[in-house]
Amino acid sequence: MISFRPFLIVVFQFTLFISSAACASVGFAEVEVPDPLDRPIQASIWYPTNDEPRLQPLAAYAQIVAPNGHVAGEGLPLVVVSHGTGGSAYGHHDTAFALAEAGFVVVALTHPGDNYADMRHYASRSQLTERPRQVSLIIDYMLRAWPHRGAINPDRVGIFGFSIGGFTALVGMGGKPVLSGLIEQCAAAPQRWVCREFGGVDNLARSFGAAPLDVVHDARLKAAFVAAPAIPALFLADGLSDVHKPVALWAAALDDIVPVEPDFAIVRDGLPVRPVSHVEPGAGHYSFLAPCTRSQRAELHEICTDPPGFDRAAFHARLNAAAVAFFRANL
């Protein structure tokens, strides 16, 4: 949950994402989706194609894709990717690529008001309410306006969310956040990262107010892969009771932003359908972001540095395979 700024490529570093690209063709497009209530939403789309791929820069990364290629297949499942605070559509590009390579259409949005260049909504009610609404708008676009929408099966839509994107995914699936749970948690444990970041109990009450959080649920979402979901105390005590669809819940054992205890347990135990859950040994919060390039490691030390001995690239091979398997089974 910290600014994730893309940088111009200085050195291409080929990760698993790059080395796997030759196995199948993946198309790539970038779009701008109008939002009647806010700035346009920037989104990136990966999808299966039979067109010839080529090396292409992607901010600080590189990818081998067919830019604006034709979509191959029909009745394809759709997965939306929701990034963490201060992130961008590119933060999980390797996961998006792996899903597209496996036959999914993947759309990753850069959330207006909560991204590397625009933090207007951070630590406010708008951060919690606007994100699910933006996801719903993106699904509208993909099913109603995207030029290749005919290739998508509208009954096979899922979401991958990391950190506050995990919160976003749970809300979209039917979660009902309330502020009382977070305020009670911060009153009992003010030293918690989220409590300090939001300015303590008094500031929480001032910033968010007492009115219920008016959030958007989207019945089109059929499954969610949730990684290190931020601020799960918002779902205390029974805010997840209406989420009856499949959820995969992953956590990092050494996460100091969304700790396994109690945060992982709040979500795991709050879901009425037991999630497919996994705690990755040795991982930190930012281990869920795509492996960093050399230039990023020099500029973005905090989000590019894993706990000693942890291999982020190897972890992402397992993470991406798990995401593919989960969505194949549930979409």
Side-chain angles (χ1 to χ4, degrees), residues 197-224:
E197 193 72 8
F198 279 68
V201 172
D202 291 341
N203 194 60
L204 276 170
R206 286 194 300 269
S207 298
F208 293 96
L213 290 167
D214 185 15
V215 294
V216 173
H217 310 302
D218 199 314
R220 294 170 296 187
L221 290 171
K222 300 300 193 295

mmCIF file with all atom_site columns, all heavy atoms in Angstrom, residues 197-224:
data_model
loop_
_atom_site.group_PDB
_atom_site.id
_atom_site.type_symbol
_atom_site.label_atom_id
_atom_site.label_alt_id
_atom_site.label_comp_id
_atom_site.label_asym_id
_atom_site.label_entity_id
_atom_site.label_seq_id
_atom_site.pdbx_PDB_ins_code
_atom_site.Cartn_x
_atom_site.Cartn_y
_atom_site.Cartn_z
_atom_site.occupancy
_atom_site.B_iso_or_equiv
_atom_site.pdbx_formal_charge
_atom_site.auth_seq_id
_atom_site.auth_comp_id
_atom_site.auth_asym_id
_atom_site.auth_atom_id
_atom_site.pdbx_PDB_model_num
ATOM 1   N N   . GLU A 1 197 ? -1.443  4.391   9.787   1.00 0.00 ? 197 GLU A N   1
ATOM 2   C CA  . GLU A 1 197 ? -1.548  4.982   8.449   1.00 0.00 ? 197 GLU A CA  1
ATOM 3   C C   . GLU A 1 197 ? -2.817  5.819   8.295   1.00 0.00 ? 197 GLU A C   1
ATOM 4   O O   . GLU A 1 197 ? -2.816  6.846   7.617   1.00 0.00 ? 197 GLU A O   1
ATOM 5   C CB  . GLU A 1 197 ? -1.521  3.867   7.402   1.00 0.00 ? 197 GLU A CB  1
ATOM 6   C CG  . GLU A 1 197 ? -1.304  4.334   5.988   1.00 0.00 ? 197 GLU A CG  1
ATOM 7   C CD  . GLU A 1 197 ? 0.104   4.806   5.702   1.00 0.00 ? 197 GLU A CD  1
ATOM 8   O OE1 . GLU A 1 197 ? 0.999   4.641   6.571   1.00 0.00 ? 197 GLU A OE1 1
ATOM 9   O OE2 . GLU A 1 197 ? 0.328   5.364   4.614   1.00 0.00 ? 197 GLU A OE2 1
ATOM 10  N N   . PHE A 1 198 ? -3.872  5.392   8.943   1.00 0.00 ? 198 PHE A N   1
ATOM 11  C CA  . PHE A 1 198 ? -5.137  6.120   8.852   1.00 0.00 ? 198 PHE A CA  1
ATOM 12  C C   . PHE A 1 198 ? -5.279  7.179   9.938   1.00 0.00 ? 198 PHE A C   1
ATOM 13  O O   . PHE A 1 198 ? -6.320  7.815   10.058  1.00 0.00 ? 198 PHE A O   1
ATOM 14  C CB  . PHE A 1 198 ? -6.313  5.139   8.902   1.00 0.00 ? 198 PHE A CB  1
ATOM 15  C CG  . PHE A 1 198 ? -6.610  4.488   7.591   1.00 0.00 ? 198 PHE A CG  1
ATOM 16  C CD1 . PHE A 1 198 ? -5.723  3.590   7.029   1.00 0.00 ? 198 PHE A CD1 1
ATOM 17  C CD2 . PHE A 1 198 ? -7.774  4.780   6.899   1.00 0.00 ? 198 PHE A CD2 1
ATOM 18  C CE1 . PHE A 1 198 ? -5.991  2.978   5.818   1.00 0.00 ? 198 PHE A CE1 1
ATOM 19  C CE2 . PHE A 1 198 ? -8.061  4.178   5.685   1.00 0.00 ? 198 PHE A CE2 1
ATOM 20  C CZ  . PHE A 1 198 ? -7.158  3.267   5.135   1.00 0.00 ? 198 PHE A CZ  1
ATOM 21  N N   . GLY A 1 199 ? -4.256  7.363   10.750  1.00 0.00 ? 199 GLY A N   1
ATOM 22  C CA  . GLY A 1 199 ? -4.247  8.458   11.695  1.00 0.00 ? 199 GLY A CA  1
ATOM 23  C C   . GLY A 1 199 ? -4.920  8.202   13.019  1.00 0.00 ? 199 GLY A C   1
ATOM 24  O O   . GLY A 1 199 ? -5.224  9.151   13.756  1.00 0.00 ? 199 GLY A O   1
ATOM 25  N N   . GLY A 1 200 ? -5.158  6.936   13.357  1.00 0.00 ? 200 GLY A N   1
ATOM 26  C CA  . GLY A 1 200 ? -5.729  6.618   14.654  1.00 0.00 ? 200 GLY A CA  1
ATOM 27  C C   . GLY A 1 200 ? -7.251  6.689   14.668  1.00 0.00 ? 200 GLY A C   1
ATOM 28  O O   . GLY A 1 200 ? -7.901  7.082   13.698  1.00 0.00 ? 200 GLY A O   1
ATOM 29  N N   . VAL A 1 201 ? -7.802  6.306   15.818  1.00 0.00 ? 201 VAL A N   1
ATOM 30  C CA  . VAL A 1 201 ? -9.256  6.191   15.957  1.00 0.00 ? 201 VAL A CA  1
ATOM 31  C C   . VAL A 1 201 ? -9.958  7.516   15.718  1.00 0.00 ? 201 VAL A C   1
ATOM 32  O O   . VAL A 1 201 ? -10.973 7.589   15.015  1.00 0.00 ? 201 VAL A O   1
ATOM 33  C CB  . VAL A 1 201 ? -9.611  5.634   17.349  1.00 0.00 ? 201 VAL A CB  1
ATOM 34  C CG1 . VAL A 1 201 ? -11.122 5.691   17.571  1.00 0.00 ? 201 VAL A CG1 1
ATOM 35  C CG2 . VAL A 1 201 ? -9.129  4.198   17.486  1.00 0.00 ? 201 VAL A CG2 1
ATOM 36  N N   . ASP A 1 202 ? -9.430  8.593   16.294  1.00 0.00 ? 202 ASP A N   1
ATOM 37  C CA  . ASP A 1 202 ? -10.102 9.888   16.152  1.00 0.00 ? 202 ASP A CA  1
ATOM 38  C C   . ASP A 1 202 ? -10.159 10.323  14.694  1.00 0.00 ? 202 ASP A C   1
ATOM 39  O O   . ASP A 1 202 ? -11.192 10.815  14.214  1.00 0.00 ? 202 ASP A O   1
ATOM 40  C CB  . ASP A 1 202 ? -9.388  10.947  16.984  1.00 0.00 ? 202 ASP A CB  1
ATOM 41  C CG  . ASP A 1 202 ? -9.556  10.710  18.476  1.00 0.00 ? 202 ASP A CG  1
ATOM 42  O OD1 . ASP A 1 202 ? -10.494 9.971   18.852  1.00 0.00 ? 202 ASP A OD1 1
ATOM 43  O OD2 . ASP A 1 202 ? -8.743  11.245  19.254  1.00 0.00 ? 202 ASP A OD2 1
ATOM 44  N N   . ASN A 1 203 ? -9.060  10.134  13.988  1.00 0.00 ? 203 ASN A N   1
ATOM 45  C CA  . ASN A 1 203 ? -9.033  10.539  12.585  1.00 0.00 ? 203 ASN A CA  1
ATOM 46  C C   . ASN A 1 203 ? -9.915  9.643   11.728  1.00 0.00 ? 203 ASN A C   1
ATOM 47  O O   . ASN A 1 203 ? -10.538 10.095  10.763  1.00 0.00 ? 203 ASN A O   1
ATOM 48  C CB  . ASN A 1 203 ? -7.606  10.519  12.042  1.00 0.00 ? 203 ASN A CB  1
ATOM 49  C CG  . ASN A 1 203 ? -7.491  11.235  10.715  1.00 0.00 ? 203 ASN A CG  1
ATOM 50  O OD1 . ASN A 1 203 ? -7.782  12.423  10.615  1.00 0.00 ? 203 ASN A OD1 1
ATOM 51  N ND2 . ASN A 1 203 ? -7.090  10.505  9.679   1.00 0.00 ? 203 ASN A ND2 1
ATOM 52  N N   . LEU A 1 204 ? -9.978  8.353   12.073  1.00 0.00 ? 204 LEU A N   1
ATOM 53  C CA  . LEU A 1 204 ? -10.876 7.453   11.355  1.00 0.00 ? 204 LEU A CA  1
ATOM 54  C C   . LEU A 1 204 ? -12.317 7.942   11.446  1.00 0.00 ? 204 LEU A C   1
ATOM 55  O O   . LEU A 1 204 ? -13.044 7.993   10.454  1.00 0.00 ? 204 LEU A O   1
ATOM 56  C CB  . LEU A 1 204 ? -10.777 6.042   11.934  1.00 0.00 ? 204 LEU A CB  1
ATOM 57  C CG  . LEU A 1 204 ? -9.655  5.144   11.446  1.00 0.00 ? 204 LEU A CG  1
ATOM 58  C CD1 . LEU A 1 204 ? -9.576  3.891   12.309  1.00 0.00 ? 204 LEU A CD1 1
ATOM 59  C CD2 . LEU A 1 204 ? -9.870  4.774   9.990   1.00 0.00 ? 204 LEU A CD2 1
ATOM 60  N N   . ALA A 1 205 ? -12.712 8.303   12.647  1.00 0.00 ? 205 ALA A N   1
ATOM 61  C CA  . ALA A 1 205 ? -14.075 8.765   12.849  1.00 0.00 ? 205 ALA A CA  1
ATOM 62  C C   . ALA A 1 205 ? -14.343 10.051  12.066  1.00 0.00 ? 205 ALA A C   1
ATOM 63  O O   . ALA A 1 205 ? -15.418 10.225  11.474  1.00 0.00 ? 205 ALA A O   1
ATOM 64  C CB  . ALA A 1 205 ? -14.336 8.977   14.333  1.00 0.00 ? 205 ALA A CB  1
ATOM 65  N N   . ARG A 1 206 ? -13.355 10.960  12.045  1.00 0.00 ? 206 ARG A N   1
ATOM 66  C CA  . ARG A 1 206 ? -13.526 12.220  11.310  1.00 0.00 ? 206 ARG A CA  1
ATOM 67  C C   . ARG A 1 206 ? -13.529 11.991  9.805   1.00 0.00 ? 206 ARG A C   1
ATOM 68  O O   . ARG A 1 206 ? -14.343 12.563  9.068   1.00 0.00 ? 206 ARG A O   1
ATOM 69  C CB  . ARG A 1 206 ? -12.423 13.198  11.677  1.00 0.00 ? 206 ARG A CB  1
ATOM 70  C CG  . ARG A 1 206 ? -12.561 13.835  13.051  1.00 0.00 ? 206 ARG A CG  1
ATOM 71  C CD  . ARG A 1 206 ? -11.625 15.023  13.189  1.00 0.00 ? 206 ARG A CD  1
ATOM 72  N NE  . ARG A 1 206 ? -10.231 14.607  13.024  1.00 0.00 ? 206 ARG A NE  1
ATOM 73  C CZ  . ARG A 1 206 ? -9.431  14.236  14.016  1.00 0.00 ? 206 ARG A CZ  1
ATOM 74  N NH1 . ARG A 1 206 ? -9.901  14.209  15.256  1.00 0.00 ? 206 ARG A NH1 1
ATOM 75  N NH2 . ARG A 1 206 ? -8.173  13.897  13.797  1.00 0.00 ? 206 ARG A NH2 1
ATOM 76  N N   . SER A 1 207 ? -12.601 11.165  9.313   1.00 0.00 ? 207 SER A N   1
ATOM 77  C CA  . SER A 1 207 ? -12.432 10.983  7.871   1.00 0.00 ? 207 SER A CA  1
ATOM 78  C C   . SER A 1 207 ? -13.578 10.206  7.237   1.00 0.00 ? 207 SER A C   1
ATOM 79  O O   . SER A 1 207 ? -13.988 10.481  6.110   1.00 0.00 ? 207 SER A O   1
ATOM 80  C CB  . SER A 1 207 ? -11.104 10.263  7.585   1.00 0.00 ? 207 SER A CB  1
ATOM 81  O OG  . SER A 1 207 ? -10.012 11.024  8.041   1.00 0.00 ? 207 SER A OG  1
ATOM 82  N N   . PHE A 1 208 ? -14.072 9.215   7.949   1.00 0.00 ? 208 PHE A N   1
ATOM 83  C CA  . PHE A 1 208 ? -15.065 8.333   7.362   1.00 0.00 ? 208 PHE A CA  1
ATOM 84  C C   . PHE A 1 208 ? -16.491 8.647   7.789   1.00 0.00 ? 208 PHE A C   1
ATOM 85  O O   . PHE A 1 208 ? -17.438 8.318   7.087   1.00 0.00 ? 208 PHE A O   1
ATOM 86  C CB  . PHE A 1 208 ? -14.744 6.878   7.720   1.00 0.00 ? 208 PHE A CB  1
ATOM 87  C CG  . PHE A 1 208 ? -13.483 6.376   7.083   1.00 0.00 ? 208 PHE A CG  1
ATOM 88  C CD1 . PHE A 1 208 ? -12.279 6.393   7.768   1.00 0.00 ? 208 PHE A CD1 1
ATOM 89  C CD2 . PHE A 1 208 ? -13.497 5.884   5.797   1.00 0.00 ? 208 PHE A CD2 1
ATOM 90  C CE1 . PHE A 1 208 ? -11.115 5.932   7.186   1.00 0.00 ? 208 PHE A CE1 1
ATOM 91  C CE2 . PHE A 1 208 ? -12.341 5.418   5.200   1.00 0.00 ? 208 PHE A CE2 1
ATOM 92  C CZ  . PHE A 1 208 ? -11.145 5.442   5.892   1.00 0.00 ? 208 PHE A CZ  1
ATOM 93  N N   . GLY A 1 209 ? -16.652 9.271   8.953   1.00 0.00 ? 209 GLY A N   1
ATOM 94  C CA  . GLY A 1 209 ? -17.983 9.582   9.425   1.00 0.00 ? 209 GLY A CA  1
ATOM 95  C C   . GLY A 1 209 ? -18.728 8.350   9.909   1.00 0.00 ? 209 GLY A C   1
ATOM 96  O O   . GLY A 1 209 ? -18.221 7.231   9.875   1.00 0.00 ? 209 GLY A O   1
ATOM 97  N N   . ALA A 1 210 ? -19.955 8.544   10.318  1.00 0.00 ? 210 ALA A N   1
ATOM 98  C CA  . ALA A 1 210 ? -20.737 7.454   10.906  1.00 0.00 ? 210 ALA A CA  1
ATOM 99  C C   . ALA A 1 210 ? -21.688 6.795   9.920   1.00 0.00 ? 210 ALA A C   1
ATOM 100 O O   . ALA A 1 210 ? -22.247 5.741   10.205  1.00 0.00 ? 210 ALA A O   1
ATOM 101 C CB  . ALA A 1 210 ? -21.529 7.996   12.105  1.00 0.00 ? 210 ALA A CB  1
ATOM 102 N N   . ALA A 1 211 ? -21.895 7.415   8.761   1.00 0.00 ? 211 ALA A N   1
ATOM 103 C CA  . ALA A 1 211 ? -22.858 6.866   7.797   1.00 0.00 ? 211 ALA A CA  1
ATOM 104 C C   . ALA A 1 211 ? -22.370 5.536   7.235   1.00 0.00 ? 211 ALA A C   1
ATOM 105 O O   . ALA A 1 211 ? -21.164 5.310   7.094   1.00 0.00 ? 211 ALA A O   1
ATOM 106 C CB  . ALA A 1 211 ? -23.071 7.866   6.670   1.00 0.00 ? 211 ALA A CB  1
ATOM 107 N N   . PRO A 1 212 ? -23.285 4.628   6.908   1.00 0.00 ? 212 PRO A N   1
ATOM 108 C CA  . PRO A 1 212 ? -22.886 3.350   6.307   1.00 0.00 ? 212 PRO A CA  1
ATOM 109 C C   . PRO A 1 212 ? -22.126 3.566   5.002   1.00 0.00 ? 212 PRO A C   1
ATOM 110 O O   . PRO A 1 212 ? -22.359 4.541   4.285   1.00 0.00 ? 212 PRO A O   1
ATOM 111 C CB  . PRO A 1 212 ? -24.235 2.653   6.051   1.00 0.00 ? 212 PRO A CB  1
ATOM 112 C CG  . PRO A 1 212 ? -25.200 3.311   6.969   1.00 0.00 ? 212 PRO A CG  1
ATOM 113 C CD  . PRO A 1 212 ? -24.737 4.730   7.104   1.00 0.00 ? 212 PRO A CD  1
ATOM 114 N N   . LEU A 1 213 ? -21.214 2.666   4.703   1.00 0.00 ? 213 LEU A N   1
ATOM 115 C CA  . LEU A 1 213 ? -20.449 2.737   3.466   1.00 0.00 ? 213 LEU A CA  1
ATOM 116 C C   . LEU A 1 213 ? -21.314 2.240   2.316   1.00 0.00 ? 213 LEU A C   1
ATOM 117 O O   . LEU A 1 213 ? -21.744 1.088   2.300   1.00 0.00 ? 213 LEU A O   1
ATOM 118 C CB  . LEU A 1 213 ? -19.178 1.894   3.586   1.00 0.00 ? 213 LEU A CB  1
ATOM 119 C CG  . LEU A 1 213 ? -18.110 2.434   4.535   1.00 0.00 ? 213 LEU A CG  1
ATOM 120 C CD1 . LEU A 1 213 ? -17.052 1.367   4.810   1.00 0.00 ? 213 LEU A CD1 1
ATOM 121 C CD2 . LEU A 1 213 ? -17.463 3.688   3.962   1.00 0.00 ? 213 LEU A CD2 1
ATOM 122 N N   . ASP A 1 214 ? -21.559 3.100   1.370   1.00 0.00 ? 214 ASP A N   1
ATOM 123 C CA  . ASP A 1 214 ? -22.398 2.751   0.221   1.00 0.00 ? 214 ASP A CA  1
ATOM 124 C C   . ASP A 1 214 ? -21.501 2.151   -0.861  1.00 0.00 ? 214 ASP A C   1
ATOM 125 O O   . ASP A 1 214 ? -20.842 2.875   -1.604  1.00 0.00 ? 214 ASP A O   1
ATOM 126 C CB  . ASP A 1 214 ? -23.103 4.008   -0.290  1.00 0.00 ? 214 ASP A CB  1
ATOM 127 C CG  . ASP A 1 214 ? -24.080 3.706   -1.416  1.00 0.00 ? 214 ASP A CG  1
ATOM 128 O OD1 . ASP A 1 214 ? -24.420 2.523   -1.590  1.00 0.00 ? 214 ASP A OD1 1
ATOM 129 O OD2 . ASP A 1 214 ? -24.469 4.650   -2.118  1.00 0.00 ? 214 ASP A OD2 1
ATOM 130 N N   . VAL A 1 215 ? -21.461 0.845   -0.926  1.00 0.00 ? 215 VAL A N   1
ATOM 131 C CA  . VAL A 1 215 ? -20.560 0.169   -1.859  1.00 0.00 ? 215 VAL A CA  1
ATOM 132 C C   . VAL A 1 215 ? -21.348 -0.579  -2.928  1.00 0.00 ? 215 VAL A C   1
ATOM 133 O O   . VAL A 1 215 ? -22.524 -0.900  -2.748  1.00 0.00 ? 215 VAL A O   1
ATOM 134 C CB  . VAL A 1 215 ? -19.629 -0.823  -1.126  1.00 0.00 ? 215 VAL A CB  1
ATOM 135 C CG1 . VAL A 1 215 ? -18.679 -0.079  -0.196  1.00 0.00 ? 215 VAL A CG1 1
ATOM 136 C CG2 . VAL A 1 215 ? -20.428 -1.863  -0.354  1.00 0.00 ? 215 VAL A CG2 1
ATOM 137 N N   . VAL A 1 216 ? -20.656 -0.823  -4.043  1.00 0.00 ? 216 VAL A N   1
ATOM 138 C CA  . VAL A 1 216 ? -21.268 -1.498  -5.186  1.00 0.00 ? 216 VAL A CA  1
ATOM 139 C C   . VAL A 1 216 ? -20.882 -2.966  -5.187  1.00 0.00 ? 216 VAL A C   1
ATOM 140 O O   . VAL A 1 216 ? -19.692 -3.306  -5.181  1.00 0.00 ? 216 VAL A O   1
ATOM 141 C CB  . VAL A 1 216 ? -20.812 -0.841  -6.509  1.00 0.00 ? 216 VAL A CB  1
ATOM 142 C CG1 . VAL A 1 216 ? -21.304 -1.647  -7.708  1.00 0.00 ? 216 VAL A CG1 1
ATOM 143 C CG2 . VAL A 1 216 ? -21.310 0.600   -6.588  1.00 0.00 ? 216 VAL A CG2 1
ATOM 144 N N   . HIS A 1 217 ? -21.866 -3.839  -5.181  1.00 0.00 ? 217 HIS A N   1
ATOM 145 C CA  . HIS A 1 217 ? -21.647 -5.269  -5.392  1.00 0.00 ? 217 HIS A CA  1
ATOM 146 C C   . HIS A 1 217 ? -21.933 -5.569  -6.863  1.00 0.00 ? 217 HIS A C   1
ATOM 147 O O   . HIS A 1 217 ? -22.725 -4.885  -7.501  1.00 0.00 ? 217 HIS A O   1
ATOM 148 C CB  . HIS A 1 217 ? -22.565 -6.101  -4.504  1.00 0.00 ? 217 HIS A CB  1
ATOM 149 C CG  . HIS A 1 217 ? -22.547 -5.710  -3.062  1.00 0.00 ? 217 HIS A CG  1
ATOM 150 N ND1 . HIS A 1 217 ? -21.397 -5.710  -2.294  1.00 0.00 ? 217 HIS A ND1 1
ATOM 151 C CD2 . HIS A 1 217 ? -23.539 -5.286  -2.232  1.00 0.00 ? 217 HIS A CD2 1
ATOM 152 C CE1 . HIS A 1 217 ? -21.675 -5.316  -1.070  1.00 0.00 ? 217 HIS A CE1 1
ATOM 153 N NE2 . HIS A 1 217 ? -22.965 -5.046  -0.996  1.00 0.00 ? 217 HIS A NE2 1
ATOM 154 N N   . ASP A 1 218 ? -21.299 -6.594  -7.385  1.00 0.00 ? 218 ASP A N   1
ATOM 155 C CA  . ASP A 1 218 ? -21.520 -6.937  -8.787  1.00 0.00 ? 218 ASP A CA  1
ATOM 156 C C   . ASP A 1 218 ? -21.789 -8.435  -8.900  1.00 0.00 ? 218 ASP A C   1
ATOM 157 O O   . ASP A 1 218 ? -20.868 -9.252  -8.755  1.00 0.00 ? 218 ASP A O   1
ATOM 158 C CB  . ASP A 1 218 ? -20.314 -6.542  -9.641  1.00 0.00 ? 218 ASP A CB  1
ATOM 159 C CG  . ASP A 1 218 ? -20.674 -6.451  -11.116 1.00 0.00 ? 218 ASP A CG  1
ATOM 160 O OD1 . ASP A 1 218 ? -21.351 -7.382  -11.613 1.00 0.00 ? 218 ASP A OD1 1
ATOM 161 O OD2 . ASP A 1 218 ? -20.282 -5.462  -11.772 1.00 0.00 ? 218 ASP A OD2 1
ATOM 162 N N   . ALA A 1 219 ? -23.039 -8.771  -9.159  1.00 0.00 ? 219 ALA A N   1
ATOM 163 C CA  . ALA A 1 219 ? -23.443 -10.181 -9.212  1.00 0.00 ? 219 ALA A CA  1
ATOM 164 C C   . ALA A 1 219 ? -22.788 -10.937 -10.361 1.00 0.00 ? 219 ALA A C   1
ATOM 165 O O   . ALA A 1 219 ? -22.800 -12.167 -10.375 1.00 0.00 ? 219 ALA A O   1
ATOM 166 C CB  . ALA A 1 219 ? -24.960 -10.269 -9.327  1.00 0.00 ? 219 ALA A CB  1
ATOM 167 N N   . ARG A 1 220 ? -22.200 -10.211 -11.309 1.00 0.00 ? 220 ARG A N   1
ATOM 168 C CA  . ARG A 1 220 ? -21.532 -10.882 -12.422 1.00 0.00 ? 220 ARG A CA  1
ATOM 169 C C   . ARG A 1 220 ? -20.239 -11.555 -11.993 1.00 0.00 ? 220 ARG A C   1
ATOM 170 O O   . ARG A 1 220 ? -19.743 -12.452 -12.694 1.00 0.00 ? 220 ARG A O   1
ATOM 171 C CB  . ARG A 1 220 ? -21.267 -9.871  -13.548 1.00 0.00 ? 220 ARG A CB  1
ATOM 172 C CG  . ARG A 1 220 ? -22.528 -9.336  -14.193 1.00 0.00 ? 220 ARG A CG  1
ATOM 173 C CD  . ARG A 1 220 ? -22.243 -8.176  -15.121 1.00 0.00 ? 220 ARG A CD  1
ATOM 174 N NE  . ARG A 1 220 ? -21.708 -7.010  -14.430 1.00 0.00 ? 220 ARG A NE  1
ATOM 175 C CZ  . ARG A 1 220 ? -21.498 -5.824  -14.996 1.00 0.00 ? 220 ARG A CZ  1
ATOM 176 N NH1 . ARG A 1 220 ? -21.793 -5.658  -16.282 1.00 0.00 ? 220 ARG A NH1 1
ATOM 177 N NH2 . ARG A 1 220 ? -21.014 -4.807  -14.293 1.00 0.00 ? 220 ARG A NH2 1
ATOM 178 N N   . LEU A 1 221 ? -19.675 -11.140 -10.870 1.00 0.00 ? 221 LEU A N   1
ATOM 179 C CA  . LEU A 1 221 ? -18.459 -11.761 -10.369 1.00 0.00 ? 221 LEU A CA  1
ATOM 180 C C   . LEU A 1 221 ? -18.789 -13.122 -9.776  1.00 0.00 ? 221 LEU A C   1
ATOM 181 O O   . LEU A 1 221 ? -19.591 -13.235 -8.856  1.00 0.00 ? 221 LEU A O   1
ATOM 182 C CB  . LEU A 1 221 ? -17.805 -10.866 -9.315  1.00 0.00 ? 221 LEU A CB  1
ATOM 183 C CG  . LEU A 1 221 ? -17.187 -9.561  -9.828  1.00 0.00 ? 221 LEU A CG  1
ATOM 184 C CD1 . LEU A 1 221 ? -16.774 -8.672  -8.670  1.00 0.00 ? 221 LEU A CD1 1
ATOM 185 C CD2 . LEU A 1 221 ? -15.988 -9.850  -10.723 1.00 0.00 ? 221 LEU A CD2 1
ATOM 186 N N   . LYS A 1 222 ? -18.139 -14.156 -10.298 1.00 0.00 ? 222 LYS A N   1
ATOM 187 C CA  . LYS A 1 222 ? -18.446 -15.522 -9.879  1.00 0.00 ? 222 LYS A CA  1
ATOM 188 C C   . LYS A 1 222 ? -17.369 -16.139 -8.989  1.00 0.00 ? 222 LYS A C   1
ATOM 189 O O   . LYS A 1 222 ? -17.616 -17.147 -8.329  1.00 0.00 ? 222 LYS A O   1
ATOM 190 C CB  . LYS A 1 222 ? -18.620 -16.411 -11.122 1.00 0.00 ? 222 LYS A CB  1
ATOM 191 C CG  . LYS A 1 222 ? -19.745 -15.973 -12.046 1.00 0.00 ? 222 LYS A CG  1
ATOM 192 C CD  . LYS A 1 222 ? -21.095 -15.983 -11.350 1.00 0.00 ? 222 LYS A CD  1
ATOM 193 C CE  . LYS A 1 222 ? -22.260 -15.846 -12.326 1.00 0.00 ? 222 LYS A CE  1
ATOM 194 N NZ  . LYS A 1 222 ? -22.297 -14.545 -13.022 1.00 0.00 ? 222 LYS A NZ  1
ATOM 195 N N   . ALA A 1 223 ? -16.163 -15.561 -8.965  1.00 0.00 ? 223 ALA A N   1
ATOM 196 C CA  . ALA A 1 223 ? -15.073 -16.123 -8.160  1.00 0.00 ? 223 ALA A CA  1
ATOM 197 C C   . ALA A 1 223 ? -14.020 -15.053 -7.944  1.00 0.00 ? 223 ALA A C   1
ATOM 198 O O   . ALA A 1 223 ? -13.856 -14.146 -8.770  1.00 0.00 ? 223 ALA A O   1
ATOM 199 C CB  . ALA A 1 223 ? -14.448 -17.342 -8.857  1.00 0.00 ? 223 ALA A CB  1
ATOM 200 N N   . ALA A 1 224 ? -13.297 -15.159 -6.830  1.00 0.00 ? 224 ALA A N   1
ATOM 201 C CA  . ALA A 1 224 ? -12.273 -14.162 -6.500  1.00 0.00 ? 224 ALA A CA  1
ATOM 202 C C   . ALA A 1 224 ? -11.011 -14.832 -5.980  1.00 0.00 ? 224 ALA A C   1
ATOM 203 O O   . ALA A 1 224 ? -11.087 -15.715 -5.117  1.00 0.00 ? 224 ALA A O   1
ATOM 204 C CB  . ALA A 1 224 ? -12.797 -13.170 -5.468  1.00 0.00 ? 224 ALA A CB  1
#
